[in-house]
Amino acid sequence: DAGSSVEEMEFNWDEYLEDTGATAAPHGSFKHVDTSLQNGFAPGMKLEVAVKSDQNTYWVATIITTCGQLLLLRYDGYGEDRKADFWCDILTADLHPIGWCEQNKKILKVPEGIKDKIPDQEEFLQRVLKGACSAPANLLEGLHRGKNPLDLIAPGSRLELQNIQDSLEAWIVTVVENVGGRLKLRYEGLEDSEKFDQWLFYLDPFLHQVGWAAQHGYTLQPPSAIRSLRSEAEWQEILKKVKEEEEESSVPTDLFKDKPVIGVHSFSEGMKLEAVDPMAPFVISPATVLKVYNDKYFVIEIDDLRAERAASQRYVCHVGSAGIFPVQWSLKNGLHLSPPPGYPGQDFDWADYLKQCGAEAAPQSCFPSLTSDHGFKENMKLEAVNPVEPEEVCIATVTKLKDSYLWLQLEGSKKPVPECIVSVESMNIFPVGWCETNGYQLRPPRKAIVNKQKKIAVVQPEKQILSSRTVHDGLKNQELNSSDSVVINGKYCCPKIYFNHRCFSGPYLNKGRIAELPQSVGPGNCVLVLKEVLTLLINAAYKPSRVLRELQLDEEAAWHGHGETLKAKYKGKSYRATVEVVRTADRVADFCRKTCIKLECCPNLFGPQMVLDKCSENCSVLTKTKYTHYYGKRKNKRIGRPPGGHSNLEAALKKPNKRRKRRKHFFVHKKKRSSASVDNTPAGSPQGSGAEEEDDQDESELSHSLAQDRDKRKRKLRTFSFSDDENKPPSPKDIKMEVAEKLQLDSNPLEWSVADVVRFLKSTDCAPLARIFLDQEIDGQALLLLTLPTVQECMDLKLGPAIKLCHHIERVKLAFYQQFAN
C-alpha cells in the first residue's frame, strides 16, 4: 500500500539477534580475523633495551609475553629467574631490533645483576643470538612504532597478485583501501578504472609481496583481460616505475608469515571431480582437471556439454582450494549435484558419465580431509561477502552444514542472491560486529515499515551525527499529543539529559548496557526527550518489563504530567504501560531524580547534570546489596506505587497460540553481550528487588499476579528517598570500602598462583566468579593477559558481569604497573 515503504533502518546486531532469537557464530571460528588482530610481537623474540641503571648502555632482552602495546621483558642471562622481569611500553621505552647498537655505535653492556653469570660477554652474545628471531624493526622505530602490523598495508602499498586464470603469471596491484585486512586492489596501470578492482583478504594464498614472482620463477605480466588496454612499451614503463618506487611502497615480509602454505597436489589432467565455481558459488557441478602447471597449481573447468557454449568457467586451484570434492561427495551428503549444461535428462549418474567421457574420477587421496570441528551451527548469524558484488558485506544465516562447508543465506543485498556455499576457512566470512569495528558499511536487512511522521529527540554525540539543519527540522516537526503549541526555547524545551554511567546502576539496570548508551539525549521537547530517555533505560534493564512496572505511577502522584505509553519486550512478550512524563523544563531535574530513586539507582545516574569525576552522592563505595540495605528499606511507602489491585500494565503476547521463541544465547564482537552461566539478576541483588521471574505466566493470570506481587512487595520492601538528611549516602567511614579507589598489592601479581588469584577475587564483588578461575587454572600471569573480549568468550559471561570483572583486572594491572613494573 502507498502508506508503507521499504526503508534501511540503522542496524543494531544486539537488537537483531534478540528479535530473531538467533546466536552469533563464535569468534574463534574465524581464524583469519584472529590472525589479523595480533600485534606483531611474539614471546621468544629478542631486542636491545636501554639498561635502567645506566641509560647510555644497552643489553639484549627476550619478550616473555605481550599485552596490547606493553611487553614483558627479561634480560638475557637471567635464565628462568622471573625476579627481574620488567614491563615496557613500545611507544615510550628505548627499544631497538638486534644489531641496532652495532650500527649506531652504542655500547652493549651486561647489567649489574648478572655480571657474575656472564664472564665472557662476546662469547655469550654469540651463543644467545645464534638463530634468534629479532623483534620487527618497523614496529619499534619510525612511523609504525607500536602500530598493529595490519596498518602497514596502507593505501598506495604495492603487492603481487597471481592471475586466477593463469597461475604462472602475476601482476602488480596497488592497495586502494584496507578494511581490517580486507584489501581493495587495483591493477597497476589502471589508475582511473575501477572495473577490474578486486577485494581479497591480505592472507589470500594468491597475494604476495613485490618480488615474489621473480624469486619463484613466475612471469610478471598483466592478465589477458587488461593486456589490450595498453601497449607493450607502456606496460614495461609501468614495471620500471614500480621497481624505482619499490622501497617506499613495499609491505614488510613478516606480515605474510601466517599465510597458508600451499602443499603438493597429486591431480592429473583429465580427472573428474565435483566443484563449486568460486565466481558463482551456488551449486555443485561436475568438473574436469583441465591442465596441471606444476606440483602446486592446476586448472579446473566446470563441465559444459553444449556445442556452442559460452565462455568456459575455469580457474586455478591448489591442493587446499575450497570447493573441490571427490566424485559422489554430494550424493553421500544428500546434496543436489547440478548436471552439466547440455546433459541429456535430469537424473545425473556418475558411473554413466565417466564411461561416456572415457575419464577417471580423481581418487579420494587427492583431496584434503574435511573437518566438522569448527564451531558453526545451523541458524547462526555472521557477516559475509556477497560473491556477486564483492563490495557488499551482508548479514548471513547458516542454513545448512556439511563437513567443513556452510550454506549461507544473505540478507539485504542490493539484488537477491541464492544460497552461497562457503568453506568454514573462507576469508570472506566475518564475525558479528566486524564491519562496525572496522568502520565499513554492513548491508542491513530490509524492513517494511509504515511511513509515519517521526518524533525524534537529538541523540549525542557519536550515535547520530546530525547536521544543524536536520536537528532544526527535527525539532520543528516535533508534535505533542495535545493541542498546545510547542515553544522550542520556552518552558517546554528540555535541556540535555546526561547518562552518567559511572554512577551506581541499582538492581534493575545493567551497568554494561548503560555504558553503551549515548552520552546525552536532547535538547528538545520535554515529552519527546524524556520518553526517549525512559525507553533507553527500559532497554538497558536486566528485565525490561520489570522496569516498566516500576515506572508506572498511581493516581495519587501529583505530577500533573503528560501520559505517555511506553513499551518493553522481554522473553518474546511485549508489555506496555502508561507512564507519566513532565511537560515543562522546570520539573525535569526533579522528575529525573525521583525516577532514579524509584529504580533504586544513584539519583545522578541520569539527569541534566553531567557527573565528571566524583558523584556528589558518593555512590561508588556501595555494592548492590549494601545500597539496597541502606536505601531500600527506609520508608514505609514506595514512591509512585499503584495501589494494590490496580495496574495499567498490559502484557501483549505477540503470538498467543504459539509457544514463544526462547531467547538464545548470543555473542557480539565489540559490543559483545555474551550468554552467561551466572544468573540474570545482578550479583547480590535482594530477592524482592527485581529477581522474581514474572514473565512465564499466561496473559489471563498476569495482571492478577502483578497486583498480588505488588501488595506482597509493599509489605516486604520500602523504598529510599534522598530528601532528608538522615537518608544521605553513608560516608566511607561508615562503610568498609568494597571498591577502593586505588589498589595496593602486597605481592607481585606476576608471581601469583591460582589460589592467590582466587583469594583476590573472593575479596571483590566478583566472588561468585572465583570458581571459574579455579577450574580454568588462571594464575597471575594469565590474569594480567585477560581482556574484555577474552573474558566474555572464554568464560561465557554477560556484558555486565564481564565489565565488572575486567574493572578489577584493570585495577590489578594498574597497581602492578605502578608498584612492580620498575
Side-chain angles (χ1 to χ4, degrees):
D1 91 42
S4 69
S5 65
V6 171
E7 185 177 297
E8 285 179 7
M9 309 288 284
E10 188 182 329
F11 179 73
N12 179 307
W13 261 116
D14 290 10
E15 289 170 11
Y16 178 74
L17 289 168
E18 196 164 332
D19 290 346
T20 54
T23 50
H27 234 257
S29 298
F30 303 88
K31 303 282 187 297
H32 59 297
V33 176
D34 278 349
T35 302
S36 71
L37 296 173
Q38 288 165 8
N39 73 353
F41 294 96
M45 285 180 174
K46 294 190 184 292
L47 29 75
E48 292 174 0
V49 191
V51 177
K52 285 208 168 81
S53 53
D54 183 354
Q55 289 296 324
N56 298 319
T57 65
Y58 294 80
W59 190 242
V60 176
T62 302
I63 297 174
I64 302 301
T65 191
T66 66
C67 183
Q69 66 187 48
L70 299 177
L71 303 177
L72 180 64
L73 304 177
R74 183 182 300 163
Y75 284 126
D76 280 18
Y78 275 98
E80 295 302 308
D81 187 357
R82 286 165 44 170
K83 278 205 306 286
D85 291 3
F86 58 98
W87 287 91
C88 279
D89 187 326
I90 300 163
L91 292 175
T92 55
D94 195 359
L95 308 173
H96 304 281
I98 295 296
W100 179 85
C101 285
E102 196 177 335
Q103 288 168 10
N104 293 275
K105 309 282 187 290
K106 298 286 182 186
I107 304 161
L108 275 173
K109 185 180 170 189
V110 184
E112 287 296 324
I114 43 173
K115 255 188 174 167
D116 311 341
K117 297 182 182 178
I118 303 168
D120 185 343
Q121 181 177 311
E122 289 302 314
E123 185 271 333
F124 176 80
L125 284 175
Q126 274 182 356
R127 182 161 46 82
V128 296
L129 295 179
K130 190 180 179 184
C133 172
S134 171
N138 56 309
L139 297 181
L140 289 169
E141 298 165 346
L143 292 172
H144 302 142
R145 186 173 177 179
K147 278 192 178 178
N148 184 319
L150 207 53
D151 299 335
L152 306 185
I153 312 178
S157 305
R158 290 195 178 105
L159 298 161
E160 285 180 8
L161 176 63
Q162 281 177 269
N163 179 6
I164 198 165
Q165 258 73 45
D166 185 342
S167 75
L168 301 189
E169 293 176 356
W171 187 240
I172 314 286
V173 284
T174 304
V175 177
V176 178
E177 204 177 334
N178 176 356
V179 180
R182 192 166 180 256
L183 310 178
K184 185 179 185 181
L185 304 168
R186 186 166 296 162
Y187 282 118
E188 196 65 43
L190 303 182
E191 282 71 21
D192 308 321
S193 169
E194 290 189 5
K195 188 181 172 189
F196 297 97
D197 285 2
Q198 295 187 48
W199 282 90
L200 289 175
F201 202 71
Y202 79 106
L203 296 172
D204 191 285
F206 287 98
L207 194 60
H208 312 277
Q209 65 190 116
V210 171
W212 175 87
Q215 281 172 21
H216 293 83
Y218 293 111
T219 322
L220 197 59
Q221 62 175 351
S224 49
I226 65 166
R227 207 171 296 162
S228 58
L229 300 177
R230 291 182 182 270
S231 67
E232 190 56 40
E234 284 175 314
W235 287 121
Q236 290 308 315
E237 193 60 39
I238 288 164
L239 206 51
K240 189 178 164 192
K241 180 181 145 221
V242 167
K243 282 183 177 160
E244 284 168 8
E245 297 172 3
E246 192 172 327
E247 232 170 81
E248 58 203 68
S249 66
S250 66
V251 170
T253 320
D254 52 328
L255 259 178
F256 299 100
K257 68 182 187 307
D258 297 306
K259 214 168 74 167
V261 178
I262 294 176
V264 174
H265 73 82
S266 52
F267 287 95
S268 308
E269 278 180 26
M271 281 181 174
K272 294 282 183 189
L273 64 157
E274 296 180 1
V276 174
D277 181 356
M279 296 311 186
F282 313 122
V283 293
I284 303 170
S285 312
T288 307
V289 177
L290 192 67
K291 186 176 182 181
V292 172
Y293 285 117
N294 51 30
D295 62 356
K296 285 193 174 176
Y297 299 105
F298 54 97
V299 176
I300 278 181
E301 183 175 55
I302 303 293
D303 286 1
D304 189 339
L305 306 179
R306 293 173 296 189
E308 47 300 309
R309 62 180 178 182
S312 64
Q313 295 161 281
R314 61 177 68 172
Y315 53 95
V316 176
C317 286
H318 51 85
V319 70
S321 287
I324 54 173
F325 313 101
V327 160
Q328 308 284 18
W329 183 82
S330 49
L331 182 70
K332 284 174 189 164
N333 286 282
L335 301 166
H336 175 68
L337 181 71
S338 182
Y343 182 78
Q346 279 304 302
D347 295 330
F348 180 82
D349 181 77
W350 262 116
D352 292 349
Y353 185 62
L354 289 170
K355 202 179 284 179
Q356 184 186 327
C357 299
E360 63 166 323
Q364 181 75 46
S365 58
C366 291
F367 300 88
S369 55
L370 300 176
T371 174
S372 52
D373 180 24
H374 44 62
F376 290 99
K377 292 188 174 71
E378 272 186 31
N379 295 321
M380 277 184 171
K381 302 282 181 184
L382 55 143
E383 297 176 7
V385 174
N386 179 352
V388 182
E389 293 283 346
E391 284 225 352
E392 287 183 8
V393 180
C394 303
I395 292 165
T397 308
V398 179
T399 57
K400 189 161 50 184
L401 293 119
K402 292 291 175 194
D403 292 339
S404 50
Y405 286 84
L406 311 172
W407 274 249
L408 299 179
Q409 184 65 58
L410 303 186
E411 294 178 49
S413 53
K414 285 178 186 167
K415 293 175 186 167
V417 180
E419 277 188 353
C420 310
I421 304 167
V422 175
S423 162
V424 293
E425 290 176 356
S426 165
M427 295 185 197
N428 283 331
I429 57 175
F430 303 95
V432 155
W434 182 86
C435 280
E436 187 184 355
T437 305
N438 292 289
Y440 196 73
Q441 176 61 53
L442 175 71
R443 295 287 309 167
R446 295 188 171 194
K447 225 176 190 177
I449 60 155
V450 178
N451 198 4
K452 55 175 183 258
Q453 177 118 33
K454 268 182 163 180
K455 299 181 187 178
I456 59 158
V458 185
V459 177
Q460 296 176 336
E462 298 93 343
K463 296 284 169 128
Q464 293 179 8
I465 299 166
L466 300 176
S467 68
S468 56
R469 176 70 190 262
T470 319
V471 172
H472 174 71
D473 291 349
L475 291 172
K476 201 165 71 182
N477 293 334
Q478 287 175 339
E479 293 177 356
L480 284 177
N481 297 339
S482 74
S483 56
D484 291 20
S485 62
V486 181
V487 184
I488 289 303
N489 295 318
K491 66 175 186 174
Y492 298 114
C493 184
C494 180
K496 270 188 194 178
I497 302 294
Y498 294 95
F499 290 106
N500 299 309
H501 65 85
R502 286 190 182 85
C503 285
F504 179 75
S505 56
Y508 302 127
L509 302 175
N510 181 322
K511 195 170 182 67
R513 292 180 201 171
I514 296 280
E516 287 174 10
L517 297 181
Q519 185 187 352
S520 65
V521 175
N525 173 267
C526 275
V527 173
L528 298 184
V529 171
L530 292 175
K531 194 175 171 184
E532 173 77 3
V533 168
L534 294 177
T535 303
L536 288 170
L537 284 171
I538 287 166
N539 291 332
Y542 290 100
K543 296 182 180 176
S545 56
R546 177 60 198 267
V547 168
L548 186 60
R549 189 169 69 198
E550 292 296 322
L551 292 176
Q552 61 174 345
L553 296 175
D554 63 345
E555 292 140 358
E556 302 163 34
W559 280 111
H560 308 303
H562 186 76
E564 282 292 322
T565 302
L566 294 184
K567 295 176 188 171
K569 264 185 177 173
Y570 183 60
K571 292 202 172 180
K573 295 178 184 176
S574 294
Y575 301 84
R576 60 180 68 219
T578 304
V579 173
E580 299 293 327
V581 176
V582 294
R583 291 176 58 191
T584 53
D586 57 342
R587 299 183 173 199
V588 167
D590 196 36
F591 171 80
C592 292
R593 191 174 179 84
K594 288 188 176 173
T595 305
C596 286
I597 291 169
K598 236 187 288 182
L599 296 179
E600 297 181 28
C601 57
C602 173
N604 291 334
L605 183 70
F606 68 94
Q609 292 297 317
M610 186 198 277
V611 174
L612 291 170
D613 296 318
K614 204 161 185 189
C615 171
S616 60
E617 302 291 347
N618 203 18
C619 64
S620 64
V621 303
L622 294 159
T623 63
K624 284 180 167 55
T625 317
K626 289 205 168 174
Y627 209 84
T628 313
H629 172 73
Y630 281 97
Y631 298 122
K633 301 186 180 183
R634 287 276 172 164
K635 294 193 125 193
N636 292 330
K637 181 178 180 304
R638 284 184 77 81
I639 287 179
R641 180 53 56 127
H646 167 74
S647 169
N648 65 349
L649 179 70
E650 307 152 17
L653 288 161
K654 276 186 180 169
K655 295 175 185 169
N657 300 328
K658 292 184 185 175
R659 273 182 66 209
R660 66 172 173 76
K661 267 193 285 186
R662 252 196 196 167
R663 190 149 138 214
K664 297 180 186 169
H665 304 311
F666 59 90
F667 171 73
V668 180
H669 181 53
K670 188 166 185 182
K671 286 200 178 167
K672 295 179 182 150
R673 192 181 299 159
S674 268
S675 57
S677 56
V678 290
D679 185 54
N680 242 358
T681 53
S685 78
Q687 283 307 300
S689 64
E692 62 273 281
E693 179 61 77
E694 75 269 358
D695 297 294
D696 290 332
Q697 302 153 352
D698 64 37
E699 196 175 357
S700 60
E701 292 173 358
L702 194 75
S703 61
H704 175 67
S705 71
L706 288 184
Q708 274 190 333
D709 188 41
R710 206 163 28 248
D711 284 340
K712 200 188 325 175
R713 276 200 328 281
K714 258 187 164 175
R715 291 192 294 274
K716 275 190 169 181
L717 253 178
R718 297 183 294 275
T719 192
F720 50 91
S721 161
F722 289 81
S723 54
D724 45 299
D725 289 341
E726 63 167 32
N727 288 336
K728 277 185 184 162
S731 71
K733 290 175 205 160
D734 305 328
I735 305 165
K736 182 188 165 198
M737 284 188 77
E738 293 281 331
V739 180
E741 286 298 313
K742 202 169 180 183
L743 190 65
Q744 281 295 324
L745 298 177
D746 299 329
S747 60
N748 188 337
L750 270 181
E751 295 165 10
W752 284 3
S753 64
V754 177
D756 294 332
V757 172
V758 169
R759 199 174 302 121
F760 165 73
L761 278 173
K762 284 187 173 171
S763 70
T764 70
D765 56 352
C766 288
L769 303 179
R771 163 58 58 189
I772 301 174
F773 281 70
L774 191 60
D775 294 344
Q776 303 267 5
E777 295 182 8
I778 293 171
D779 63 4
Q781 280 203 12
L783 182 77
L784 290 175
L785 291 174
L786 290 178
T787 59
L788 182 59
T790 322
V791 163
Q792 280 187 288
E793 194 169 353
C794 301
M795 297 189 181
D796 200 27
L797 294 180
K798 276 194 189 301
L799 187 63
I803 286 176
K804 198 194 295 183
L805 176 60
C806 284
H807 167 67
H808 292 300
I809 294 170
E810 288 306 316
R811 289 171 63 227
V812 174
K813 285 181 189 174
L814 183 65
F816 161 73
Y817 204 51
Q818 289 170 339
Q819 290 176 243
F820 301 99
N822 294 328

